[in-house]
């Protein structure tokens, strides 16, 4: 958490401890705070306060968007490279998967044909803003427009979790019907998130219980986490352009150095627009597990793909969907950059990567 988010968390936990839903004065005070944070989130995202739903994170937001639309009777569809928190509910609901090309992109002609073919049944189409493994970004406003034109009964949902620190979220929120966000990706606490939902008449709740969040997400509010998330979101969106250019410098430096240290490495999605917060590469002749083990020994924290899939021996579905051959896909590595990283750390990491790779090859 950013220091400001943590300070807000502690302040609210101490001062506004009552359940906002209660009927006494302490609850009314907490409810006013909740309304205030909701309005601040809406102001950042340029949407209506009534369109902001607080959730326990993007997994829940995505599930409400996907499974909630399926429960309302619609066919669900998503790109093949979505996070499991979208893809698993799509598959569980018998939904359709939209394929990607070798650059991790969705071909617009194919998407148009897909939408026209299924226009009558589609309830929701979900395409992410930034891929969490490769950093590849998608032209979400274009896709949202295509869905609204060719499948007008369908809602367009965007998992914008990875966009919050580096892109302008309002640009995603404006053309979409639903957007998912997760606080811990932009300096807020874990276990807290947002679903923007503009028309809930075609979305059913997954949990039944109290009347919180207009029945769409019942359960006692975690006001302190919502407060911390709001403060973190405001700061992240105020600084996204600066962070984007700072991280671009670090990422480009890293990839140039890795290119020298390990000429065999290929950078995934390099021909696509990408978020500068992520560098994903394929290393022939080694496995992610052995590389990660030795990087960890050197004090370098990286991953093979999504953190939630770590420990899995199968290659990532994202890389496989991009047509990477099975053996090469097993040598996938993902590095993430933050503002707190220094050029020295970048240099050390690239050097260590080269040494470890050569050692493993020997
Ligand atoms: N969607 C994307 C793109 C993510 O990167 C993540 C988390 O890594 C999630 C969804 C899940 O978010 P949460 O951990 O808040 O449930």
């Amino acid at each position: 958490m950013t220091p400001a988010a943590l300070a807000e968390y502690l302040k609210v936990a101490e001062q506004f401890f009552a359940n906002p839903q209660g009927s006494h004065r302490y609850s009314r005070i907490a409810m006013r705070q909740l309304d205030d944070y909701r309005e601040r989130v809406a102001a950042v995202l340029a949407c209506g306060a009534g369109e902001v739903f607080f959730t326990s994170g993007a997994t829940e937001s995505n599930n409400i968007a996907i499974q909630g639309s399926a429960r309302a009777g619609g066919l669900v569809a998503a790109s093949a490279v979505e996070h499991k928190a979208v893809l698993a509910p799509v598959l569980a609901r018998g939904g359709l998967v939209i394929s990607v090309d070798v650059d991790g992109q969705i071909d617009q002609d194919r998407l148009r044909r897909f939408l026209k073919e299924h226009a009558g049944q589609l309830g929701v189409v979900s395409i992410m803003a930034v891929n969490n493994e490769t950093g590849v970004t998608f032209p979400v406003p274009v896709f949202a427009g295509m869905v609204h034109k060719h499948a007008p009964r369908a809602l367009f949902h965007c998992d914008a979790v990875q966009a919050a620190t580096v892109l302008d979220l309002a640009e995603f929120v404006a053309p979409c019907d639903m957007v998912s966000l997760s606080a811990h990706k932009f300096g807020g606490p874990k276990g807290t998130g947002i679903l923007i939902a503009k028309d809930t008449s075609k979305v059913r709740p997954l949990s039944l219980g109290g009347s919180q969040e207009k029945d769409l997400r019942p359960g006692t509010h975690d006001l302190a986490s919502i407060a911390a998330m709001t403060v973190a979101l405001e700061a992240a969106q105020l600084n996204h352009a600066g962070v984007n250019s700072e991280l671009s410098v670090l990422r480009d430096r890293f990839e140039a150095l890795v290119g020298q240290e390990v000429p065999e490495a290929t950078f995934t999605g390099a021909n696509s627009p990408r978020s500068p917060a992520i560098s994903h590469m394929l290393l022939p002749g080694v496995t992610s597990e052995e590389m990660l083990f030795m990087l960890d020994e050197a004090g370098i924290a990286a991953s093979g793909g999504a953190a939630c899939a770590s420990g899995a021996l199968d290659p990532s579905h994202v890389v496989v969907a991009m047509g990477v051959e099975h053996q090469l896909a097993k040598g996938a590595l993902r590095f993430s950059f933050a503002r707190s990283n220094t050029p020295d750390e970048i240099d050390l990491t690239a050097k260590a990567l080269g040494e470890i790779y050569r050692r493993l090859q020997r």
Side-chain angles (χ1 to χ4, degrees):
M1 274 203 254
T2 62
L6 186 57
E8 191 78 2
Y9 183 96
L10 294 173
K11 183 190 90 180
V12 171
E14 234 172 61
Q15 292 180 14
F16 308 111
F17 46 81
N19 181 347
Q21 205 75 4
S23 51
H24 48 69
R25 76 178 60 179
Y26 305 104
S27 287
R28 284 198 298 279
I29 292 170
M31 183 53 98
R32 274 203 294 280
Q33 292 293 319
L34 180 65
D35 289 343
D36 183 48
Y37 290 118
R38 200 187 301 279
E39 274 165 25
R40 285 167 63 179
V41 167
V44 174
L45 301 179
C47 64
E51 298 169 346
V52 177
F53 293 83
F54 293 120
T55 68
S56 66
T59 298
E60 186 178 28
S61 301
N62 288 343
N63 271 272
I64 295 173
I66 305 295
Q67 301 213 60
S69 300
R71 291 191 71 181
L75 178 64
V76 297
S79 89
V81 293
E82 297 298 313
H83 189 278
K84 286 275 166 71
V86 167
L87 217 43
V90 164
L91 296 175
R93 292 285 176 173
L96 303 176
V97 174
I98 303 162
S99 58
V100 298
D101 63 22
V102 290
D103 297 317
Q105 280 298 335
I106 296 169
D107 179 76
Q108 293 189 17
D109 287 333
R110 277 181 82 159
L111 179 62
R112 193 173 298 110
R113 284 198 300 277
F114 174 89
L115 294 170
K116 285 181 173 170
E117 188 184 338
H118 301 288
Q121 310 115 279
L122 279 172
V124 69
V125 176
S126 184
I127 300 176
M128 67 202 323
V130 177
N131 185 270
N132 52 297
E133 294 188 33
T134 61
V136 166
T137 59
F138 293 91
V140 166
V142 175
F143 291 162
M146 288 173 70
V147 169
H148 292 145
K149 181 168 176 202
H150 300 297
R153 287 171 57 184
L155 299 176
F156 185 82
H157 168 255
C158 176
D159 175 341
V161 164
Q162 297 283 338
T165 51
V166 286
L167 297 173
D168 181 2
L169 289 177
E171 282 180 18
F172 295 100
V173 171
C176 295
D177 301 296
M178 292 187 281
V179 175
S180 299
L181 293 171
S182 179
H184 68 106
K185 301 295 176 181
F186 51 80
K190 294 172 183 65
T192 300
I194 294 167
L195 175 67
I196 301 300
K198 295 180 182 171
D199 175 8
T200 52
S201 67
K202 291 188 209 156
V203 187
R204 301 271 177 278
L206 301 185
S207 301
L208 302 178
S211 59
Q212 292 93 343
E213 300 303 291
K214 295 190 271 190
D215 296 326
L216 191 61
R217 200 280 180 177
T220 303
H221 292 103
D222 179 354
L223 185 57
S225 292
I226 290 168
M229 169 167 68
T230 304
V231 167
L233 182 67
E234 286 172 338
Q237 282 295 287
L238 198 63
N239 297 327
H240 71 84
V243 171
N244 194 313
S245 43
E246 280 177 39
L247 296 190
S248 296
V249 172
L250 291 178
R251 194 267 320 265
D252 292 351
R253 180 184 183 108
F254 179 67
E255 293 193 350
L257 285 172
V258 172
Q260 289 166 20
E261 296 284 340
V262 189
E264 300 92 329
T266 51
F267 295 102
T268 315
N271 296 323
S272 272
R274 282 187 298 157
S275 158
I278 296 172
S279 176
H280 184 280
M281 66 186 75
L282 298 168
L283 300 173
V286 294
T287 65
S288 316
E289 287 74 27
E290 55 195 6
M291 286 296 297
L292 291 173
F293 178 80
M294 292 175 80
L295 284 166
D296 186 44
E297 296 268 286
I300 296 165
S303 71
C308 56
S310 59
L313 286 174
D314 287 335
S316 135
H317 70 280
V318 172
V319 185
V320 170
M322 291 170 73
V324 174
E325 180 261 318
H326 194 89
Q327 201 53 39
L328 185 58
K330 286 187 148 194
L333 281 186
R334 177 185 72 166
F335 292 86
S336 309
F337 308 101
R339 240 180 159 180
S340 52
N341 286 128
T342 62
D344 277 354
E345 286 173 335
I346 296 293
D347 300 357
L348 269 167
T349 302
K351 207 159 180 314
L353 186 73
E355 279 164 14
I356 290 169
Y357 182 67
R358 282 191 295 280
R359 207 182 320 155
L360 281 174
Q361 279 201 318
R362 279 202 298 276

